[in-house]
Amino acid sequence: MRIDARNLLNRLGKNEFSYKEFEDRFTDLELWPILEALLRDPRLQTLDQVNAPAAQAVQDTRASDEQPLGALFSRYEHETNGAALRQGTPRHGDRQPGQDVRAMLRHLSELGARGEI
Amino acid sequence: MAMIVCHGPKGGAGTTFIAAHLATGLAEAGADVTVLTVSPRDTLALHFGLQPALSLPSMTAPVNEAVVAGGINLRHYRRAPVDPDFIPMLRDLGYLAPGAHRVLVLDVPAGEQAFGRRAITHACAHVCPLNAAPDTLALLPAMFGEAGEAGLARTAFVVNALDETRRLSRHGAAFIRELTGPRLIGRVRLDEAVPEAIAMLQPLARYAPASAALADVRLVAAAMVPALDNNVSDAWIAPAAVSRAA
């Protein structure tokens, strides 16, 4: 940390500095192809399955609009060519037509706007 | 006595930085902490403000050769990945049982995946540092697939060197947050004070006590304290308040 920045923080009585002014509106979010590709990979659901018991407990204390990753996978599959992917791979979570990876980004944007991510 | 493994899927994520400050935080919480690096080219000592020419003693070296910084015993054991007696040695030393009094923090480089997975099966918890970069995200499916459910049951994730001024970095961190859910225990902001402290040969806490990264990594260490009482065979997940804060 530069000495002038440290002196400024000391003068302000702050012990840390964080960026708070970089919220993303949904309209500014891009659909990064790599995130879309990763969401197609069923191996990422391993953690969702490991978390399942704990996630249930956590959900009790969290906002009701948060959804497990499995739900996001299910929505994505529903919107794309999910028939082939669905075969042989157990899923959990509600299927909600009309939502896709952009819904996940919108959800992330909302979390960011509330300062939760 | 307990062991925590620090190991991530990709080099450059700051695993050694996290291991060093995790050790510091656990020591400040009252534990007798040893940090063991198995990397052939380790930089562990630099995070404690020590000289780059300093060679850490082996795990098996006598006490009078010990290097102690900030009350933390620093050791290396580069043969660990190929030594079949390494895990039995840790068992003999008592590190494979829960307990907050004596703690071993094992720093495993990303390239030692097989050894890392083997060590994690004997640890009370696994800390996985990640960068919120797309090339790191791309490795997660392979990592999850190789580890399986059992291998991730005691894993806690940390997003390290997070640059919140960059859109892709924020989106990557948000992706990790959604992916890992309650297993994300912290986000450590990118902070120039970290390399500057190394360059000044000072511990970060002395060089920049107001460092944002220092404040963040202290929270990570605090989140891991309850894991020390976890049985090796049991799953572990941070308390809900920790994951919400992350």
Side-chain angles (χ1 to χ4, degrees):
Chain A
M1 181 180 294
R2 284 170 35 172
I3 187 68
D4 53 348
R6 180 161 48 189
N7 288 340
L8 178 60
L9 286 174
N10 289 338
R11 204 174 299 171
L12 293 172
K14 300 273 189 182
N15 61 5
E16 62 176 76
F17 181 79
S18 62
Y19 298 93
K20 300 288 187 188
E21 306 299 326
F22 298 96
E23 295 177 358
D24 298 305
R25 292 175 301 173
F26 171 66
T27 52
D28 295 333
L29 286 180
E30 293 181 22
L31 181 60
W32 300 101
I34 193 169
L35 301 186
E36 183 178 344
L38 288 170
L39 285 172
R40 290 174 184 267
D41 196 316
R43 292 175 295 181
L44 281 187
Q45 290 192 74
T46 307
L47 196 59
D48 207 16
Q49 292 154 4
V50 174
N51 284 344
Q56 185 60 46
V58 171
Q59 275 184 343
D60 294 341
T61 57
R62 287 190 169 187
S64 59
D65 59 350
E66 289 195 34
Q67 300 169 54
L69 189 66
L72 296 170
F73 277 112
S74 300
R75 292 202 310 267
Y76 183 75
E77 288 173 10
H78 191 90
E79 284 298 300
T80 57
N81 54 346
L85 286 172
R86 278 196 295 275
Q87 289 181 348
T89 306
R91 308 291 189 194
H92 60 278
D94 299 330
R95 296 186 187 285
Q96 299 176 26
Q99 293 178 292
D100 57 11
V101 174
R102 286 193 178 278
M104 174 186 181
L105 296 177
R106 186 186 305 114
H107 174 58
L108 298 179
S109 177
E110 291 166 357
L111 290 176
R114 296 202 301 267
E116 295 178 10
I117 58 174
Chain B
M1 291 188 265
M3 176 170 72
I4 295 178
V5 175
C6 290
H7 175 61
K10 189 174 186 305
T15 302
T16 301
F17 165 76
I18 296 292
H21 287 274
L22 174 61
T24 301
L26 297 177
E28 289 172 353
D32 178 3
V33 182
T34 296
V35 187
L36 179 65
T37 176
V38 301
S39 172
R41 299 186 189 90
D42 72 90
T43 56
L44 179 63
L46 296 177
H47 293 283
F48 292 90
L50 301 176
Q51 294 285 337
L54 179 71
S55 179
L56 297 180
S58 167
M59 183 74 174
T60 55
V63 173
N64 61 0
E65 295 180 16
V67 171
V68 178
I72 298 164
N73 196 351
L74 308 182
R75 299 273 178 162
H76 81 78
Y77 195 62
R78 299 185 181 100
R79 291 182 52 245
V82 296
D83 184 352
D85 294 327
F86 177 67
I87 296 296
M89 179 175 71
L90 294 183
R91 183 176 289 111
D92 292 343
L93 292 171
Y95 282 117
L96 305 188
H101 177 59
R102 285 184 64 207
V103 179
L104 179 69
V105 175
L106 186 61
D107 176 22
V108 181
E112 297 287 354
Q113 297 103 324
F115 172 72
R117 284 199 303 275
R118 193 163 74 245
I120 288 165
T121 62
H122 297 281
C124 64
H126 164 217
V127 175
C128 180
L130 301 171
N131 280 340
D135 47 357
T136 300
L137 299 180
L139 296 178
L140 292 179
M143 175 199 166
F144 285 17
E146 291 163 5
E149 289 186 43
L152 295 172
R154 290 182 298 283
T155 298
F157 295 87
V158 176
V159 178
N160 189 35
L162 174 61
D163 185 354
E164 293 181 304
T165 68
R166 304 292 179 186
R167 185 177 52 172
L168 179 55
S169 182
R170 291 196 304 278
H171 292 183
F175 183 86
I176 293 170
R177 177 73 180 84
E178 285 296 301
L179 177 68
T180 59
R183 292 186 175 275
L184 181 65
I185 61 166
R187 297 183 299 167
V188 181
R189 286 163 285 178
L190 182 67
D191 189 344
E192 190 66 13
V194 175
E196 285 181 1
I198 293 175
M200 292 295 290
L201 296 179
Q202 292 180 22
L204 180 59
R206 185 191 307 156
Y207 174 71
S211 158
L214 179 64
D216 292 340
V217 78
R218 279 176 167 159
L219 294 177
V220 169
M224 292 306 297
V225 171
L228 300 177
D229 292 320
N230 184 54
N231 287 314
V232 170
S233 59
D234 293 345
W236 181 81
I237 196 163
V242 172
S243 58
R244 280 200 302 277

